[in-house]
Amino acid sequence: MRILHPASELAVVGITEVFPKIRFIRQALNELKDALRDTPPDLVILIDYPGFNLNLAGKAHDLGIPVLYYIPPQVWAWREKRVKKIAKRVDRVAVILPFEKEFYSHYGIQVEYVGHPLLDDAKNGRGREQTRERLGIGGDRFPVVGLLPGSRNEEIARHLPPILGAAKIISRTYPDLRCILPVASTLDEETVKSHLEGVPVDIIACRADTREVLGVCDLALIASGTATLEAAIAETPMVILYRVSLFTYVLGKILAKVSHIGLVNLVAGRQIVPELIQGDATDTRLAEEGLCLLEDEARRKEMKENLRLVREQLGQGGASERVAALAAEMMGMIDQ
């Protein structure tokens, strides 16, 4: 594989948040378009990142290069007009959420539901006791709380302060509280750890597999995103939070067509996990919701049961193999 631009350098969430990177993103896009023209591949596989990838898909379409979009834009949530671009520029779509197939089929797009790739990895992790031992969590220490502020620098800046504040409040009720903060590969570990200085809570911050960490947690304070589905697969009770710039939030409220932002709630079709968005995402509110889950066994049991049902809806694994077979078929490597 030859990497022209690492995805981590292009990652950004929001609208105003993109401005500082817009020059770099445009440069990367132009270079990739030139690569498609100069050394045309047999197939373009796009993954997520719609603003960038739909532009790239247009170039591939003009050059006659087939396009497979894996994990396409969540146009069912907002900016539905994008679906017309997908229908015009993309040959096949592979979706990972069960309700997406009907949506894309409605617009005449050739779509396959492949299941969620997280389930492929869920079977391969260490056991709970092994992970606890490796992370230095002895015995049946309670509670263990996962702190997951996100995988981008701007998410750390917006989410980590209220999450740490909530952990501090929870520790007043549970003096033996142990927290784990798995540092994403897209982040600098030392920079993340610098945020923890002076916080009077026992926090382990390290490179660690998110799924394994969630598997040993009694509660997760977690930024909205794929990690919420990882928590659902682990059946870990959670509280979801998310903050963006004020402009992005206001515009999102106007354009959004869904009543929830957490993927786990979207898959469930109702709110099974509390969501604290923007001004509600404070340390006090996070701590209140977290303590309710830690102290109310009936509520914990109900949420874990709902999360188990969400996991069942995500499929049985094998998503990566299905997408690989679909790609091979589109390149004429196997019969349809």
Side-chain angles (χ1 to χ4, degrees):
M1 176 170 61
R2 181 165 62 97
I3 298 175
L4 300 183
H5 285 281
S8 59
E9 295 181 1
L10 304 173
V12 64
V13 172
I15 298 170
T16 58
E17 293 85 348
V18 78
F19 294 148
K21 289 189 174 183
I22 195 165
R23 186 176 179 180
F24 179 79
I25 291 172
R26 184 180 293 118
Q27 178 185 348
L29 181 61
N30 289 335
E31 289 183 21
L32 288 171
K33 286 181 177 180
D34 289 344
L36 290 180
R37 182 196 63 222
D38 297 338
T39 54
D42 297 305
L43 176 70
V44 170
I45 302 177
L46 305 174
I47 301 177
D48 204 2
Y49 203 32
F52 188 94
N53 277 335
L54 279 177
N55 198 318
L56 198 61
K59 181 66 174 180
H61 175 77
D62 292 342
L63 292 169
I65 303 170
V67 177
L68 167 62
Y69 210 135
Y70 180 36
I71 312 179
Q74 296 174 350
V75 287
W76 39 265
W78 75 315
R79 299 189 69 177
E80 189 170 339
K81 290 182 180 178
R82 278 179 167 174
V83 76
K84 295 180 180 179
K85 289 184 179 180
I86 296 172
K88 180 180 178 181
R89 303 176 183 181
V90 176
D91 298 281
R92 302 280 289 274
V93 168
V95 298
I96 61 175
L97 299 175
F99 56 83
E100 290 181 310
K101 181 171 183 178
E102 182 178 356
F103 175 88
Y104 279 103
S105 295
H106 177 73
Y107 289 93
I109 297 171
Q110 196 168 354
V111 56
E112 301 287 340
Y113 170 56
V114 296
H116 207 291
L118 288 177
L119 291 170
D120 293 351
D121 298 325
K123 304 171 183 177
N124 301 324
R126 298 180 179 88
R128 178 182 173 91
E129 293 307 316
Q130 274 185 301
T131 302
R132 286 177 69 99
E133 183 178 342
R134 188 171 64 86
L135 293 172
I137 306 171
D140 294 323
R141 186 167 179 166
F142 181 87
V144 177
V145 177
L147 312 179
L148 292 91
S151 59
R152 300 176 175 90
N153 288 319
E154 61 265 33
E155 291 178 316
I156 296 296
R158 295 184 191 277
H159 300 149
L160 194 51
I163 285 177
L164 293 176
K168 182 179 177 180
I169 295 171
I170 293 172
S171 70
R172 296 171 189 163
T173 302
Y174 294 96
D176 289 335
L177 172 71
R178 172 67 63 92
C179 296
I180 311 176
L181 198 167
V183 181
S185 60
T186 51
L187 300 170
D188 179 70
E189 187 172 351
E190 294 307 314
T191 300
V192 173
K193 287 182 177 180
S194 69
H195 289 272
L196 310 183
E197 295 175 4
V199 179
V201 180
D202 188 356
I203 301 175
I204 302 169
C206 61
R207 301 284 188 204
D209 184 88
T210 301
R211 289 170 293 276
E212 290 185 342
V213 167
L214 288 167
V216 303
C217 289
D218 304 294
L219 170 71
L221 305 179
I222 187 166
S224 178
T226 302
T228 65
L229 292 182
E230 292 182 289
I233 291 170
E235 296 180 21
T236 302
M238 74 188 95
V239 182
I240 296 172
L241 78 151
Y242 211 75
R243 288 176 167 181
V244 289
S245 71
L246 180 59
F247 179 78
T248 299
Y249 174 71
V250 172
L251 190 61
K253 288 284 287 184
I254 295 171
L255 298 177
K257 300 172 59 180
V258 291
S259 54
H260 310 298
I261 72 160
L263 285 171
V264 64
N265 289 330
L266 289 168
V267 173
R270 58 191 176 92
Q271 183 164 311
I272 62 172
V273 172
E275 297 181 350
L276 301 176
I277 311 304
Q278 210 65 2
D280 289 331
T282 64
D283 53 3
T284 302
R285 291 284 290 113
L286 278 170
E288 287 175 354
E289 294 288 353
L291 284 168
C292 283
L293 285 167
L294 291 173
E295 296 176 335
D296 188 337
E297 185 59 35
R299 187 178 176 190
R300 283 174 55 77
K301 185 176 180 181
E302 179 184 12
M303 184 179 289
K304 288 172 76 71
E305 175 62 21
N306 286 330
L307 294 176
R308 184 185 63 79
L309 295 175
V310 167
R311 174 175 178 150
E312 291 177 359
Q313 287 182 267
L314 293 177
Q316 301 298 317
S320 300
E321 290 184 6
R322 294 186 189 97
V323 175
L326 183 57
E329 175 191 317
M330 292 180 68
M331 291 186 288
M333 296 170 64
I334 60 174
D335 295 330
Q336 297 186 11

